[in-house]
Amino acid sequence: MISRRPTAPRTELLAAAAAGVTVLLWASAFVSIRSAGEAYSPGALALGRLLSGALVLGVICLIRREGLPPRAAWPGIVVSGLLWFGLYMVVLNWGEQKVDAGTAALVVNVGPLIMALLAGWLLDEGLPSRLLAGMAVSFAGAAVVGLSMSGEGSASVLGVLLCLLAAVAYAGGVVAQKPALRHGSALQVTTYGCVIGAVACLPFAGQLVSDAQDAPLSATLNMVYLGVFPTALAFTTWAFALARTTAGRMGATTYAVPALVVLMSWVALDEVPGWITLVGGLVCLAGVAVSRSGPRAGSGPGAGAVATATTAPPATAVGAAPEPGPQPRSEGS
C-alpha cells in the first residue's frame, strides 16, 4: 500500500503555518480582551468567552464522536478548568482593565517558568539551578514593570499584580492537566476543562446579561471571537503543528507573542508600553531564556525538568493524542 503522508519539507511547512496561526490568535486575545473589557466586566467577559469556546469545542467533540473522559482524567480536568479556564481568564480580564495589552502580555509570559517550578515541586521533575536563576531574573523584570507603572497610580500596580496572578493560575492549570492527558484525549481534557471553567463563572451570568444589553456590537463580537478563535481554534492549530514537529521548536514560537501584542495594541488601540515597562518585559523574557539555556534534553535530569513543564500548554491543544508518559522535552506558551 502506498503511503500518502506529506513529505518532510511539506510537513514542516504546514506545521510552521499552523504554529504561526496559533501565535497570532493568542496574541490577538490580549488586544480583544482590552477592547471588550471596556464594555464587559471581567467575570462576564470570561463567562461569555468560555460559553462560546465550549460550544465550538462541543461541536468538534460530536463530530469526532468523543465520549466522556475516563474517571482517572477528571481530577486534572477539574483543577485545570477552575484555574486556567476559570480563574486565569477572570483575573487577566481584570488586569487588562488596569494596564495596557502589551504590559499584560509581557508579565503573563513568566507563566512557563512558574510551570517549570510547579512541575519540579509537584511532579518530581527537579529544580535545576538554571531554572531558579531564570525565575529570579524574570521576577526582577516583573518588579521593574511594577515600578514603572507605580507612577501611573495604584490601579496600574494592581493590574501588574493581577497579571502575575493570571500567570500563576495559568501555570497551575497546565501542570494539573498533564496527568489528565495520560488518561483522556487532549480534545476531551480541553473541552471539559472549558465547560468546568464556564460553570465556575456562572455566578457572573447576571452581569453578562446586563452588560450584553448595554454593550456595543463590537465588544460582543470581540467576546465571541475570544471564545471561537483564541480559545478553540488556536488550540486546534497548535495540536496540528505539535504533531508534526518537535515540542522545543513549537515552544520557541511563543516568544513572539508579547512582541506581536505590543504591535497589535499599537495599531488597534493606540497603546504602547513605556520604555521602562518594555525593558522590564524584556528582562522577564530574558529570564525565560536563561531557564532554557542549560543542557539539551537527554543530557541530564535538570534539562528535562524545565522542558517537560513548559511543554504542557501545547499538550492541552484540541486533537492532540494522549501520551502514555511524560511530555516531550521543551517549552510552550
Side-chain angles (χ1 to χ4, degrees):
M1 181 176 179
I2 299 176
S3 173
R4 296 187 178 182
R5 296 183 65 183
T7 60
R10 184 186 175 193
T11 298
E12 291 180 3
L13 182 61
L14 290 173
V21 170
T22 301
V23 168
L24 284 171
L25 291 177
W26 281 350
S28 71
F30 286 89
V31 179
S32 289
I33 289 171
R34 181 72 169 164
S35 180
E38 295 179 357
Y40 284 92
S41 62
L45 179 57
L47 177 58
R49 174 180 180 176
L50 288 168
L51 289 175
S52 300
L55 178 61
V56 173
L57 291 168
V59 170
I60 295 174
C61 278
L62 289 176
I63 293 174
R64 292 173 59 93
R65 297 182 180 179
E66 292 272 355
L68 290 171
R71 182 179 301 176
W74 277 103
I77 292 174
V78 171
V79 174
S80 66
L82 293 173
L83 288 179
W84 192 6
F85 292 95
L87 179 62
Y88 166 79
M89 292 190 181
V90 173
V91 295
L92 178 60
N93 295 344
W94 189 5
E96 285 208 50
Q97 290 187 349
K98 309 296 182 181
V99 299
D100 59 81
T103 300
L106 289 167
V107 176
V108 170
N109 212 51
V110 304
L113 277 181
I114 301 173
M115 281 177 228
L117 183 64
L118 291 176
W121 174 36
L122 299 175
L123 303 181
D124 297 323
E125 293 178 352
L127 295 173
S129 58
R130 288 185 181 272
L131 167 61
L132 298 177
M135 286 284 288
V137 172
S138 283
F139 279 103
V144 171
V145 173
L147 290 173
S148 72
M149 304 298 291
S150 63
E152 300 181 24
S154 59
S156 295
V157 176
L158 175 62
V160 172
L161 293 176
L162 287 168
C163 290
L164 280 174
L165 177 58
V168 173
Y170 155 55
V174 168
V175 171
Q177 275 190 336
K178 290 178 64 179
L181 288 166
R182 298 183 186 136
H183 306 285
S185 72
L187 178 57
Q188 291 173 326
V189 172
T190 304
T191 300
Y192 288 96
C194 187
V195 170
I196 287 171
V199 171
C201 289
L202 281 178
F204 301 110
Q207 289 183 349
L208 176 60
V209 173
S210 176
D211 290 349
Q213 292 175 346
D214 300 326
L217 179 60
S218 60
T220 301
L221 290 177
N222 262 311
M223 180 177 65
V224 174
Y225 169 85
L226 285 166
V228 174
F229 292 95
T231 304
L233 178 59
F235 280 123
T236 303
T237 54
W238 182 275
F240 177 89
L242 185 63
R244 290 161 176 78
T245 187
T246 65
R249 183 175 297 178
M250 284 294 293
T253 64
T254 63
Y255 291 121
V257 171
L260 287 172
V261 173
V262 170
L263 179 61
M264 289 179 179
S265 59
W266 177 35
V267 173
L269 305 174
D270 196 26
E271 292 180 347
V272 180
W275 284 110
I276 298 178
T277 303
L278 286 174
V279 169
L282 290 175
V283 172
C284 289
L285 297 183
V288 179
V290 167
S291 72
R292 288 179 47 82
S293 63
R296 292 188 177 276
S299 62
V306 180
T308 304
T310 51
T311 309
T316 65
V318 179
E323 299 181 10
Q327 298 285 344
R329 297 181 175 185
S330 224
E331 186 232 271
S333 172

